[in-house]
Structures are given as C-alpha cells and as structure tokens.
Amino acid sequence: KSADAPVRLYNGAPKARQDVHAAVVDIDTGTKDLQQCADAAMRLRAEWLFASGQQDKIAFNFTGGGRVPFKRYAKGERPDAEGHSWKATAKPDASYGAFRKYMDLVFAYAGTASLEKELKPVAPSDIQIGDVFIKGGFPGHAVFVIDMAENSVTKSKRFLLVQSYMPAQDIHVLKNPENGNGSPWYAVPDDKLVTPEWTFAAGSLRRWN
C-alpha cells in the first residue's frame, strides 16, 4: 500500500502499535478475526501456489491432525473440525473465490501449533524466501521471509520479514528493532531472532516440505 499506510485490524480500526512496520502489504485481511500470524504465512504460500498454477499443492494440517487439501475442497467436499472426516456437501468450485473461503476455513482450524509440526527445520545459513520463523503454541507466533539480498563478494545475506498478529490485521513488513534507522533488513541470526513484537529462539527457522 502507500508508504504512509497504517496497519489496520480486520474491523478497520488502526492497530495500537504503528511503530513496528516499514510497509503494508496490499492484500485483504478479511472481515473476521481469522488471518493472524501463522495464517499470514499460509496465505502467502497458498496465494503463490494458486497464482502459479500449482493448486494441487495447496494443503495444510488442521490442529486436530487432519490434512486438508484445496483440491478436495474444490470438488465440493468439506472436512470436520479435526480435518479427518469429509462429506460432499457443496458444488464443485475451483475459483479464486472458493480458494479464499477455503483459506478462511484453514485459518479457523490451523495455527502455529499445527504449522510448526508441518514444516521441517532448516539452518539459518541456508535461509530462503518463503521460509518461516515460528514458535508453535497457544499463543505462538510466526513471521514469513518475503525477500532476500546477498552480497556478491562476501555472500552475506539480508532478508525481509512480514507478519500478521493478534487480532487479525494487515500483513506488514517488519522493521528491524536492532537497526536504529528503522531499516527492515535483517541479518542471518547466530541464535535468537529479535523482531518488534516477538523474539524467536535459535532453531525456529522452518521450511515447507
């Protein structure tokens, strides 16, 4: 969004803290308190898969343990709250509108606890765009690696992070609190990763399988 855009909650109210973001991503939040932290990571991955014609790869685990693929939802099947039992209760629909409703269902029944188990650990030195720093729990938190740069000589890496938070709010690019000038670029951490609203312990970096 525009450079001076505030972070707004799902109900349109401004977030209490407006000092943690460098930019706001121009993507909808929805009108319910659903798209929170892990949900933002799942949303961005799923949007990329949908836009690149890889809809068959869109699938997430519910907290109850069941695997919920979009391709089954698109056929008109609907899962129970655990993600184990399915029934054909709707007409087949593989449109973007159906995908967006599917994502709201995922947001309601998945979160940091399920997503952390779903992802595989990766060494920070091997960080890539699309990776997730995550702490599973109730509450937990997750931030998503949205962009990277690498020095052609030293090979040192810098990366950008985005997050949503609680309550559901605009996905936004995080400032790095360790940079006094408000720069959003982060260096690869040796141990913990400090973000404006959460500190991730060493070993928190994960990647989609």
Side-chain angles (χ1 to χ4, degrees):
K1 296 185 177 181
S2 61
D4 59 348
V7 174
R8 295 192 179 276
L9 307 183
Y10 68 95
N11 59 8
K15 179 177 177 173
R17 289 193 64 179
Q18 295 290 331
D19 61 332
V20 305
H21 70 281
V24 178
V25 179
D26 190 6
I27 192 170
D28 78 279
T29 304
T31 57
K32 298 179 180 179
D33 188 10
L34 291 175
Q35 189 172 278
Q36 299 181 357
C37 53
D39 308 309
M42 293 187 285
R43 173 78 185 277
L44 292 176
R45 171 161 174 86
E47 287 279 355
W48 173 72
L49 290 171
F50 191 96
S52 59
Q54 302 180 74
Q55 291 91 336
D56 284 355
K57 294 183 180 179
I58 300 173
F60 300 99
N61 294 343
F62 278 7
T63 301
R67 185 74 169 167
V68 180
F70 174 63
K71 63 183 178 181
R72 294 194 67 174
Y73 187 95
K75 291 178 181 178
E77 298 179 60
R78 296 294 182 268
D80 64 5
E82 304 296 310
H84 294 293
S85 177
W86 292 75
K87 292 182 179 180
T89 59
K91 294 181 180 179
D93 185 355
S95 68
Y96 181 82
F99 159 76
R100 187 63 187 84
K101 291 178 181 178
Y102 159 83
M103 289 309 304
D104 275 349
L105 182 68
V106 171
F107 300 160
Y109 294 109
T112 57
S114 57
L115 185 59
E116 185 182 50
K117 296 174 184 177
E118 186 177 336
L119 305 179
K120 63 180 181 181
V122 62
S125 59
D126 189 37
I127 191 170
Q128 296 178 9
I129 295 171
D131 288 348
V132 182
F133 287 92
I134 188 167
K135 171 65 174 72
F138 305 95
H141 193 43
V143 295
F144 188 84
V145 179
I146 199 71
D147 202 358
M148 285 185 57
E150 183 174 320
N151 187 298
S152 60
V153 177
T154 66
K155 302 302 179 183
S156 64
K157 299 174 182 178
R158 297 291 185 271
F159 56 90
L160 295 178
L161 296 172
V162 294
Q163 72 165 17
S164 179
Y165 208 59
M166 297 179 291
Q169 56 197 250
D170 289 330
I171 300 174
H172 48 281
V173 180
L174 286 171
K175 292 180 180 179
N176 183 346
E178 296 187 352
N179 293 333
N181 59 1
S183 168
W185 291 97
Y186 286 76
V188 177
D190 294 325
D191 48 14
K192 65 183 180 181
L193 174 74
V194 179
T195 70
E197 295 181 289
W198 197 275
T199 296
F200 294 91
S204 298
L205 187 62
R206 298 284 193 276
R207 181 168 298 160
W208 311 91
N209 290 307

